[in-house]
Amino acid sequence: MAFEYKQASTMEQAMQIYAETKSQNRHPAYYAGGTEIITLRRINQLNVDVTIDINKIAACNVHQMEEEYLVIGSCITLTDVEESNYFPLLTMVCKEIADRTARNKITVGGNICGEIFYREAVLPFLLTDSVLVLANETGIRTEFIHHVFEGKLLLQTGELLVQAFIEKRYLTQEYIAIKVRQQWETGYPLITVAALKMDGQIRVAISGLCPFPFRAFEVERIINNQSMSREERIDLALAHLPSPILNDVEGSNEYRLFVLSDLLEKIIDRLEGV
Amino acid sequence: MKMRRETVTYIGKSVFRKESLEKVTGKAKYTADYLASDALHVEMVKSSYAHATIRSIEIAEAKKTEGVRAIILGDNLPLIGEEVIDRPPLAVNKVRYYGEVIALVVADTIPIAKKAAKLIHIEYEPLTVVNSPLQALEKDAPRLHDNLLDYKKDEGIYPVEGTNIINHTKIRKGDVQAEMKEGEVMVESHFSIPISDHSSMETRAALCEIGESGIVRIVTSSQAPYMVKKIISRDFKVETGKVVVETPFVGGGYGGKASVHLEIFAYLASKAVGGRKVRVFNTREEDLTVSPVHVGLEATVQLACTAEGKLTAAKLKYVFDGGAYADKSPHLSTAGAVDCTGPYKIDHVWCDALCVYTNHPYASPFRGFSHGEVHFAFERAMDILAKKIDMDPLYFRKINVIHPGDTTPTQVVLTSSKIGDVEKCIDRLRELMEWENGQLEAISQNRVRVKGISCSWKNSTIGPAVSSGVVLTFNSDGSINLMSGLVEIGTGTKTVLAQILAEQMKMSVNRIHVRMAVDTQTVPEHWKTVASRGTLMAGRAVMAAADDAIRKLKKMGAIVLRVSEDDLDVANETVFLRDNPKQFVPFKDIVYGYTYPNGNSIGGQIIANGSYTLTGLTNLDPETGAGNPGPEWAVAAHGIEIEMDRKTFRYKILKAITVVDLGEVLNYKAALGQIKGAMSMGIAWAGREAFYFDENGRVLNPQLRTYRPLRFGEHPQYEVDIIKTPHLEAPFGARGAGEHGLVGIPAALGNALSHAINTELKSLPLTPEAIWRQWKEAHNGI
Amino acid sequence: MAESRQNLVIVKLRINEENHSVVIPPSKTLLATLREDLYLTGAKPGCFNGDCGACTIIMEGMPMKSCLMLAVEAQGKEVITIEGLNNSPLQQIFIEEFAFQCGYCTPGFIMNGHALLLNEAKPNKEKIKEWLESNICRCTSYEEIEKAILKAIANRNG
């Protein structure tokens, strides 16, 4: 059947179109920035024949400080994040994704829910224990990110990421984000680390090391254990990483560990004393 | 009216490119901009194995698809190729690289063509993949081409029976065996450069239509439209006058579009649909990995010198990864042999340059034509040897520089016209780099700033019997149309030709209309737009045409003014009496003939022409390599300054400097742009560009987000200085300029990094991981 | 994926201050539509993947990669292509500074540079780098392009 493009102005409408499409044995997808949908379809790596443009849904376009939270809608572009700069760590991470012109189109939701496994935009959300608002046919649910994100967002069929909430107290914490590439300053990440100090503890989230981004809880436990020397902590942390460690054209797994070791040192340098 | 020409000279003047307005307004047309809604579309069906026998191809289902007009297979097609005719246009019986084109689908639209292509089922029987040139040389390596010696080939190519070696070029100068035994100081090292790509911004595209009387019209993004004409005519037996190839603006080529590739598919496709117009267009992935690529090299360099640092002997083995088919790479390996040592005086040189077949995409020329590759190996060895005798690397180069009177590896005796001044380049580089301040400076505990250098030279080896022609016609207002078969691929040479003409005619360059698009029927042939020989060959042809025009103008002028031709001069679009400039006749009154007051008319439109052939070139002797390969050597000295973190091995290039002897500069800003652009390409190639193959010979990084040219913001500060030792055969002494910025850059970078971490780096690309690995290996994992 | 010819949609576009109606499959990108349906071939197909920037146009004042958007997404929005710039100062400066060679990446760079000038009053080198990193040039060293942008900013700001 032929490709179709539809627009939804409300969440209900979006969900309805999705369900209808599925019932016709077709393949729907929500369309925000759409960059991944277009590029992966072109090389036959994505089977989507109905796109449901959600950019007009009001809730997906919220981007503001509320009383206790920063609220970011899933359709907010990465450029918008940078220009508004409500959360400097998020700005710093988003600024390194793709390039500026592409970021005028790539959305926070699209980057987090995409097939391409880096999903770097999720790192600050993982660090800040953010809360996600998801909408499905039966209604809206609010979930603590760590309950619904495991390398990727575990969405039910037809479910839509609507918004993310970050508690305001995180926005002003000390942070560091470093993106290391195979060479120089452009290209996919070799490793991207984002780290934050909260309640005296360093928090770390990593992308590019494995074929999924993750909050490195084990690593945190170890590097916050000041009874060990810095070197001991880093060595031990490197032994407590998820698997697999990527081994690909960007770099080998051994080299990634070498790079991570240096990044952990830089994180400790930056955040330990503050 | 001004009689005497103003003392405006165009030599060196940064005249704006003639096609500037077209390019900045988006109006400039490139091949795929000719949308041809009346064209059928061609989809390439590509091999999913790097080496396999084709057992069967099922096309019945695909053929039934509505909108499909033809499906073409490789049976019954003649072999094609450039210097070796070894390539089936469409793979037949065997595939030899991942992505090799096996069939063509011609259909009404691209989606239909793609749909049908997916319905074509091919059964393969995989064969062992030859995944590197060294593997290709192993005794039990599969033979990619069984009947090497049976292939028709050009002179000067020496395949070795029973191997994967399609060409073996030998340089035997002096007596290397004797010298090496003398107990001099010697180093031996092996260097590796993987395959990479030109990655022009415009991907290749071609259209073809065959008319009723058999006239084959091709429009293509090519550096060699006349070669397209030759190959279609020669290999498909089409009368040569019936092949007309047009090339509009080309969006970069760098050698990759000198090979004939898509045009063959376009021709076959059009033929299969009764001559209807067809269009074939490369996606970026196809352009990178299906169309020809940038050659790789495995090099072993043995270099010897006296204790005082005088080079005595060099023994070199260069093994080029030519890929699945020969195309231009036998010539590439020959070129590598010709200039195998860099610009130094070495009396004893032994070089074996091998071009081998592998199951990789095949190589076309790439900017530098093997010189960048060879210089990486040789100039790294020079630094290693300099270190061994504890000599400053720049001084080591200087005392070994080759001079007029010395001989090259192919035993050409140099003159100051034939070669630029390497020493001057080195001296100037020394100043610009503030070399006296030291090569290495520690900035902090882990960070250092380091300088690396190299020298380079390049001649062309484009073979004897190549020529360039120019035709000039006049417009009724006295302005001139300039037709040259040189393609405007970005070098700005078309504008330079106008400058040369303006200079000779002593008229305004704005009054010269250069025909930008090339068509092989009406525009005289310029062999190929390659080798940095545009200015020399087309420039000389322009000068010859200008002479012809001046002669013809003076002849008419003599009649009109009733004086002797010898007393006339030409300037400001007039022909005038030297002795009394007030006696003149303007061009516009004579370029379309002359009419007397009584009505009698004489003459007609003035048409002038000129051509130029490289003379004195010879093939190389098969045993010694002696011969005269090209007209001149441009030389350069390069420097790279980096800042490096010795703990993480990450580095930034701060400055890139080239001092190049160009003989003369015709358009200063254009020349500068070419030199710097070449340097930029060299930096990206050295630091990041490479194809990564899996064990099945498949390229893993075929997109621009994974195969990464340099991007804005990653560029260093550039400095270029130009030395002027004229090449006396060239227009105003100007040597070739397009490639030289690149040639020594990878070596200079490798030298800087090696010095920074006191580890000899021996492969490209010089990524932090590669450096880390080599450092670890050298320090035994400590 | 093959598109059946039956599913076509009418898309109303506003390009270079002109209104157009095109009839296209909804999966057609803005790049393909500009080139094939409106014959505006200034935006170039360098990669179809959003990597090279040769397809850059300006939509609602922002630079966009037209290969990364469906034509239908541009409905109701102001789009400027390179053909819509009328002798802008930036174009003239590109000529003066020799900021192009083969010219293929040039429309994309000029569009991006033009958009930068529209959006930023006094962009510093970092900002310029951030924006222009979106476009690849294979011929030049980028120095000429950088110089052109800086000159355009200086001239504009007086």
Side-chain angles (χ1 to χ4, degrees):
Chain A
M1 260 212 176
F3 179 92
E4 269 186 80
Y5 168 88
K6 305 200 171 198
Q7 270 193 334
S9 31
T10 65
M11 282 189 286
E12 293 73 26
Q13 197 184 10
M15 244 129 268
Q16 195 203 352
I17 300 173
Y18 195 103
E20 242 168 55
T21 308
K22 275 237 92 131
S23 70
Q24 293 161 3
N25 280 325
R26 302 178 70 195
H27 307 94
Y30 295 120
Y31 189 100
T35 62
E36 197 183 90
I37 292 178
I38 292 178
T39 54
L40 291 186
R41 272 191 88 240
R42 179 182 67 92
I43 51 177
N44 300 312
Q45 277 183 22
L46 194 65
N47 188 13
V48 167
D49 55 16
V50 179
T51 53
I52 307 165
D53 190 323
I54 54 171
N55 285 297
K56 290 210 153 65
I57 299 175
C60 296
N61 286 291
V62 173
H63 192 197
Q64 64 199 34
M65 295 282 232
E66 313 232 302
E67 228 180 273
E68 287 176 40
Y69 297 94
L70 166 61
V71 186
I72 304 181
S74 56
C75 289
I76 298 300
T77 67
L78 300 184
T79 289
D80 275 340
V81 167
E82 183 190 337
E83 293 299 310
S84 306
N85 196 24
Y86 289 115
F87 183 12
L89 173 57
L90 182 62
T91 301
M92 200 166 190
V93 170
C94 287
K95 230 179 128 160
E96 293 293 324
I97 297 173
D99 59 60
R100 172 73 184 214
T101 306
R103 292 199 292 277
N104 291 342
K105 200 130 197 297
I106 300 173
T107 61
V108 173
N111 185 260
I112 291 176
C113 299
E115 287 300 311
I116 298 175
F117 59 59
Y118 298 106
R119 304 183 187 111
E120 293 162 275
V122 85
L123 299 178
F125 295 98
L126 291 173
L127 288 174
T128 57
D129 297 343
S130 68
V131 168
L132 303 181
V133 177
L134 308 168
N136 59 54
E137 277 185 299
T138 59
I140 299 197
R141 59 174 176 135
T142 351
E143 300 281 0
F144 186 47
I145 191 172
H146 302 297
H147 291 163
V148 285
F149 190 93
E150 270 169 39
K152 57 195 281 212
L153 193 56
L154 302 172
L155 295 166
Q156 292 167 16
T157 308
E159 194 162 44
L160 173 64
L161 171 63
V162 181
Q163 292 169 348
F165 282 66
I166 300 177
E167 283 181 70
K168 261 171 130 165
R169 63 194 177 106
Y170 285 104
L171 305 184
T172 48
Q173 295 300 110
E174 297 287 346
Y175 66 91
I176 182 174
I178 307 175
K179 179 167 180 167
V180 173
R181 295 156 168 108
Q182 180 196 63
Q183 177 66 288
W184 300 320
E185 299 170 48
T186 59
Y188 277 137
L190 178 67
I191 303 185
T192 300
V193 291
L196 185 57
K197 190 82 176 276
M198 193 68 201
D199 300 330
Q201 301 288 292
I202 299 174
R203 299 185 179 193
V204 180
I206 307 176
S207 172
L209 180 71
C210 305
F212 47 82
F214 63 96
R215 170 92 180 266
F217 290 108
E218 284 292 296
V219 169
E220 287 173 18
R221 190 179 52 81
I222 294 164
I223 64 173
N224 283 310
N225 181 351
Q226 298 198 23
S227 71
M228 289 189 279
S229 77
R230 178 178 293 198
E231 229 180 74
E232 286 172 323
R233 284 185 265 167
I234 292 175
D235 279 343
L236 191 59
L238 291 183
H240 284 81
L241 298 167
S243 62
I245 310 284
L246 280 169
N247 192 22
D248 60 13
V249 296
E250 299 300 332
S252 66
N253 41 19
E254 305 117 36
Y255 182 65
R256 277 181 166 86
L257 291 176
F258 171 76
V259 171
L260 183 60
S261 164
D262 178 71
L263 291 175
L264 290 177
E265 200 180 318
K266 290 189 159 92
I267 290 171
I268 295 173
D269 268 340
R270 168 78 180 85
L271 295 178
E272 188 162 79
V274 303
Chain B
M1 149 133 201
K2 288 183 183 133
M3 286 301 125
R4 195 130 305 143
R5 180 179 164 258
E6 294 130 57
T7 44
V8 165
T9 171
Y10 285 111
I11 304 312
K13 197 148 181 242
S14 299
V15 172
F16 293 162
R17 303 169 86 102
K18 284 238 166 230
E19 74 278 15
S20 291
L21 284 169
E22 281 80 1
K23 285 180 175 173
V24 299
T25 58
K27 295 285 167 60
K29 291 272 186 226
Y30 302 81
T31 301
D33 294 335
Y34 292 104
L35 295 153
S37 47
D38 55 339
L40 297 170
H41 294 272
V42 181
E43 174 76 8
M44 297 176 267
V45 178
K46 307 180 284 270
S47 165
S48 35
Y49 285 87
H51 197 198
T53 315
I54 300 174
R55 306 205 75 216
S56 64
I57 305 178
E58 295 290 320
I59 62 172
E61 231 188 304
K63 244 189 155 165
K64 282 190 272 180
T65 309
E66 191 187 312
V68 168
R69 303 301 164 202
I71 297 187
I72 306 150
L73 298 178
D75 313 285
N76 306 317
L77 292 178
L79 286 181
I80 55 173
E82 265 227 32
E83 24 217 55
V84 179
I85 315 277
D86 68 344
R87 185 167 98 243
L90 297 169
V92 135
N93 300 325
K94 218 180 168 190
V95 288
R96 295 182 174 89
Y97 71 98
Y98 192 100
E100 183 174 357
V101 181
I102 300 174
L104 299 173
V105 176
V106 188
D108 291 350
T109 69
I110 294 178
I112 294 174
K114 281 190 184 313
K115 180 172 168 195
K118 274 203 253 170
L119 296 172
I120 294 181
H121 298 289
I122 305 174
E123 265 201 45
Y124 303 87
E125 202 175 280
L127 301 167
T128 309
V129 172
V130 176
N131 220 355
S132 81
L134 294 181
Q135 188 195 345
L137 288 179
E138 282 166 13
K139 270 204 108 189
D140 51 354
R143 303 280 169 259
L144 269 52
H145 290 259
D146 292 311
N147 307 308
L148 276 193
L149 297 186
D150 294 343
Y151 289 143
K152 280 203 223 108
K153 57 192 188 309
D154 283 356
E155 280 223 44
I157 295 178
Y158 309 105
V160 179
E161 190 171 14
T163 69
N164 285 312
I165 302 170
I166 185 58
N167 191 21
H168 181 180
T169 307
K170 299 180 193 169
I171 300 285
R172 306 280 186 261
K173 176 180 148 188
D175 188 352
V176 152
Q177 319 285 36
E179 276 309 301
M180 289 280 183
K181 285 198 193 101
E182 288 277 302
E184 309 283 29
V185 186
M186 199 186 74
V187 294
E188 178 175 342
S189 280
H190 185 89
F191 303 93
S192 290
I193 302 176
I195 286 182
S196 57
D197 201 80
H198 317 72
S199 184
S200 308
M201 290 314 294
E202 182 205 9
T203 61
R204 296 164 178 84
L207 294 103
C208 181
E209 179 173 37
I210 305 175
E212 278 318 301
S213 48
I215 296 184
V216 178
R217 285 198 171 277
I218 294 178
V219 182
T220 172
S221 173
S222 169
Q223 292 171 247
Y226 300 89
M227 199 61 196
V228 175
K229 172 179 173 180
K230 178 174 170 186
I231 287 186
I232 302 265
S233 166
R234 179 194 70 190
D235 296 335
F236 296 98
K237 311 270 181 286
V238 180
E239 212 185 308
T240 183
K242 289 193 165 168
V243 182
V244 180
V245 184
E246 282 177 45
T247 293
F249 286 113
V250 171
Y254 324 108
K257 293 175 180 172
S259 287
V260 178
H261 181 74
L262 281 196
E263 299 88 352
I264 307 288
F265 301 143
Y267 170 71
L268 292 173
S270 181
K271 195 138 180 267
V273 292
R276 269 183 289 183
K277 192 186 288 186
V278 302
R279 183 176 183 273
V280 60
F281 172 85
N282 266 356
T283 61
R284 176 58 60 184
E285 291 86 350
E286 286 163 343
D287 209 60
L288 286 176
T289 63
V290 176
S291 289
V293 300
H294 172 189
V295 82
L297 174 67
E298 295 287 333
T300 309
V301 177
Q302 273 180 52
L303 204 50
C305 68
T306 64
E308 292 75 43
K310 284 298 203 161
L311 289 170
T312 53
K315 186 153 189 250
L316 312 157
K317 185 169 179 193
Y318 294 144
V319 184
F320 287 92
D321 185 345
Y325 298 101
D327 197 69
K328 282 292 292 173
S329 41
H331 229 163
L332 269 169
S333 58
T334 302
V338 162
D339 288 333
C340 56
T341 63
Y344 306 109
K345 175 187 192 314
I346 307 178
D347 293 333
H348 308 276
V349 179
W350 176 296
C351 175
D352 289 289
L354 304 178
C355 182
V356 302
Y357 285 125
T358 65
N359 292 122
H360 287 160
Y362 65 93
S364 66
F366 175 87
R367 205 169 192 173
F369 206 61
S370 87
H371 285 62
E373 296 77 0
V374 160
H375 278 73
F376 176 72
F378 198 88
E379 283 294 290
R380 281 289 304 119
M382 285 289 281
D383 249 37
I384 295 171
L385 186 51
K387 193 178 228 165
K388 199 164 180 182
I389 58 169
D390 200 24
M391 185 178 277
D392 174 281
L394 200 49
Y395 184 70
F396 184 50
R397 285 2 184 241
K398 186 176 159 104
I399 62 173
N400 282 296
V401 144
I402 196 167
H403 292 108
D406 296 332
T407 59
T408 69
T410 63
Q411 301 181 48
V412 171
V413 178
L414 292 172
T415 64
S416 60
S417 167
K418 275 186 167 303
I419 188 167
D421 193 331
V422 189
E423 231 178 305
K424 270 208 187 124
C425 293
I426 291 175
D427 290 339
R428 185 68 186 122
L429 182 74
R430 188 177 206 105
E431 275 167 28
L432 289 173
M433 290 187 85
E434 293 175 346
W435 191 257
E436 315 305 332
N437 294 347
Q439 223 189 323
L440 187 150
E441 187 195 336
I443 308 282
S444 68
Q445 191 192 18
N446 291 323
R447 298 194 81 79
V448 289
R449 274 206 190 139
V450 188
K451 300 170 189 168
I453 57 96
S454 71
C455 292
S456 67
W457 66 346
K458 184 178 185 290
N459 197 343
S460 52
T461 38
I462 55 186
V466 302
S467 66
S468 183
V470 164
V471 163
L472 305 174
T473 61
F474 284 81
N475 298 305
S476 57
D477 64 352
S479 62
I480 308 181
N481 305 312
L482 194 167
M483 268 66 68
S484 155
L486 182 121
V487 177
E488 183 48 75
I489 59 173
T491 55
T493 313
K494 288 271 213 202
T495 303
V496 166
L497 295 182
Q499 287 177 251
I500 293 173
L501 183 59
E503 187 74 10
Q504 297 302 92
M505 304 295 295
K506 302 191 178 79
M507 64 190 272
S508 165
V509 75
N510 297 327
R511 296 279 292 162
I512 294 170
H513 306 285
V514 180
R515 188 184 151 85
M516 287 291 164
V518 167
D519 96 72
T520 58
Q521 187 173 53
T522 62
V523 174
E525 176 168 328
H526 172 79
W527 182 66
K528 294 187 200 178
T529 307
V530 296
S532 305
R533 288 292 172 233
T535 303
L536 170 62
M537 294 173 59
R540 283 292 303 267
V542 165
M543 291 172 85
D547 283 345
D548 189 39
I550 289 171
R551 253 193 314 273
K552 288 171 169 153
L553 287 160
K554 283 187 182 175
K555 187 158 176 231
M556 283 298 291
I559 297 171
V560 173
L561 296 171
R562 296 183 212 151
V563 296
S564 159
E565 284 171 41
D566 298 327
D567 291 327
L568 292 172
D569 254 348
V570 164
N572 289 326
E573 300 179 41
T574 68
V575 184
F576 63 94
L577 198 60
R578 201 177 296 119
D579 178 62
N580 180 13
K582 284 203 171 70
Q583 274 190 265
F584 69 94
V585 60
F587 279 12
K588 64 178 166 59
D589 287 353
I590 51 175
V591 292
Y592 264 70
Y594 181 77
T595 302
Y596 288 94
N598 73 352
N600 290 160
S601 296
I602 53 162
Q605 186 189 25
I606 293 188
I607 303 169
N609 66 77
S611 73
Y612 176 78
T613 302
L614 293 172
T615 56
L617 305 184
T618 67
N619 288 319
L620 303 184
D621 180 283
E623 285 312 312
T624 66
N628 187 24
E632 57 84 22
W633 282 262
V635 301
H638 310 262
I640 296 264
E641 286 182 37
I642 57 164
E643 189 178 300
M644 187 179 196
D645 180 326
R646 290 201 282 204
K647 185 166 167 275
T648 62
F649 303 100
R650 298 195 73 79
Y651 64 94
K652 189 175 152 74
I653 301 177
L654 301 173
K655 254 186 164 185
I657 304 136
T658 295
V659 181
V660 56
D661 192 330
L662 288 184
E664 180 54 270
V665 177
L666 299 177
N667 183 318
Y668 180 66
K669 278 191 173 169
L672 213 58
Q674 280 281 289
I675 305 284
K676 293 198 302 183
M679 292 167 75
S680 172
M681 205 169 247
I683 284 172
W685 171 38
R688 187 157 67 196
E689 288 181 47
F691 278 138
Y692 296 96
F693 290 93
D694 68 11
E695 68 274 6
N696 296 315
R698 184 177 139 207
V699 172
L700 297 171
N701 55 335
Q703 294 186 334
L704 289 178
R705 54 178 77 174
T706 45
Y707 178 90
R708 298 184 283 256
L710 209 66
R711 300 196 79 114
F712 190 102
E714 290 179 321
H715 59 287
Q717 198 192 327
Y718 290 96
E719 236 181 295
V720 174
D721 209 358
I722 296 171
I723 306 289
K724 293 186 181 178
T725 313
H727 172 218
L728 299 176
E729 245 176 74
F732 309 98
R735 300 182 188 276
E739 298 165 276
H740 303 77
L742 182 153
V743 176
I745 291 291
L749 179 60
N751 286 341
L753 291 165
S754 299
H755 191 72
I757 55 170
N758 200 26
T759 303
E760 300 304 347
L761 298 171
K762 297 182 183 171
S763 64
L764 295 183
L766 293 158
T767 58
E769 173 163 2
I771 298 170
W772 169 73
R773 279 192 186 282
Q774 288 174 77
W775 182 87
K776 274 206 316 171
E777 228 176 87
H779 293 77
N780 283 321
I782 294 167
Chain C
M1 262 145 220
E3 305 308 340
S4 129
R5 266 184 275 224
Q6 292 101 291
N7 186 23
L8 298 173
V9 295
I10 301 174
V11 182
K12 293 197 191 305
L13 296 168
R14 188 159 166 79
I15 315 286
N16 301 330
E17 300 188 339
E18 286 178 2
N19 293 323
H20 293 274
S21 266
V22 293
V23 180
I24 52 170
S27 60
K28 198 164 189 178
T29 60
L30 180 59
L31 175 65
T33 307
L34 288 170
R35 290 173 59 81
E36 295 165 21
D37 298 272
L38 298 175
Y39 309 109
L40 295 168
T41 56
K44 304 295 183 200
C47 70
F48 292 137
N49 213 40
D51 301 327
C52 76
C55 67
T56 306
I57 50 91
I58 298 177
M59 190 167 88
E60 305 277 281
M62 297 275 276
M64 288 291 186
K65 294 185 176 184
S66 60
C67 76
L68 286 183
M69 61 172 35
L70 304 175
V72 294
E73 292 184 74
Q75 192 145 232
K77 308 214 163 104
E78 291 278 346
V79 174
I80 311 175
T81 69
I82 184 76
E83 293 90 344
L85 291 189
N86 269 319
N87 295 316
S88 71
L90 184 61
Q91 287 165 294
Q92 181 56 30
I93 292 172
F94 259 62
I95 297 176
E96 289 162 13
E97 293 303 322
F98 282 70
F100 57 90
Q101 291 179 28
C102 82
Y104 201 75
C105 74
T106 307
F109 262 106
I110 291 179
M111 284 278 97
N112 197 4
H114 187 81
L116 175 64
L117 291 168
L118 287 176
N119 281 277
E120 298 279 330
K122 249 190 161 191
N124 58 14
K125 278 203 163 180
E126 271 306 303
K127 213 14 111 167
I128 295 170
K129 176 177 160 182
E130 189 194 351
W131 282 57
L132 293 196
E133 199 189 69
S134 312
N135 297 64
I136 301 178
C137 175
R138 196 58 167 153
C139 291
T140 74
S141 64
Y142 292 117
E143 268 199 348
E144 298 86 349
I145 295 173
E146 187 173 25
K147 198 157 173 234
I149 302 286
L150 288 169
K151 189 171 178 180
I153 295 167
N155 286 1
R156 197 254 320 253
N157 294 348

